Amino acid sequence: MIRRPPRSTPKPSSAASDVYKRQGDRAAAYGDAYVNHKRIADMWSVIFGQEVTVKQVLLCMIALKTARLVHDSHEDSWVDICGYAGLGGEIDGKG
């Protein structure tokens, strides 16, 4: 029988818990998250010449962070992915 080492328990400062702290920091710097990402979607719509939704912006940002992780792993990218995914869950259906 092969025994696997026990999985480590995430520290309180793990990526998931950092998301909650950063949400407040970013809200102060950038304003309401939905409004900010809607602004990005509107700008990308002009650049690409077709409608871009907030959901698409979030998916693209997750893809960007994932592409960076392929090169090298940084906790900040994991935290950002958690944040974009959480925001996507909150705003799903708004656009």
Side-chain angles (χ1 to χ4, degrees):
M1 179 177 185
I2 298 174
R3 293 185 181 241
R4 294 184 179 163
R7 292 183 179 185
S8 63
T9 303
K11 299 180 289 185
S13 63
S14 69
S17 63
D18 284 353
V19 170
Y20 295 107
K21 180 193 177 297
R22 289 184 187 197
Q23 284 176 343
D25 295 344
R26 290 188 177 153
Y30 304 117
D32 179 77
Y34 179 82
V35 171
N36 184 50
H37 287 84
K38 176 68 171 115
R39 187 178 306 119
I40 294 167
D42 292 343
M43 294 175 77
W44 286 6
S45 295
V46 172
I47 293 167
F48 295 125
Q50 65 184 39
E51 183 184 1
V52 176
T53 67
V54 173
K55 183 177 180 178
Q56 289 170 323
V57 169
L58 295 171
L59 291 170
C60 287
M61 296 307 295
I62 291 169
L64 178 137
K65 294 296 182 172
T66 302
R68 289 180 179 175
L69 287 169
V70 169
H71 172 71
D72 195 10
S73 187
H74 293 278
E75 184 178 355
D76 184 63
S77 291
W78 290 111
V79 171
D80 288 346
I81 288 171
C82 291
Y84 291 125
L87 181 58
E90 288 178 19
I91 67 167
D92 194 31
K94 288 186 182 179

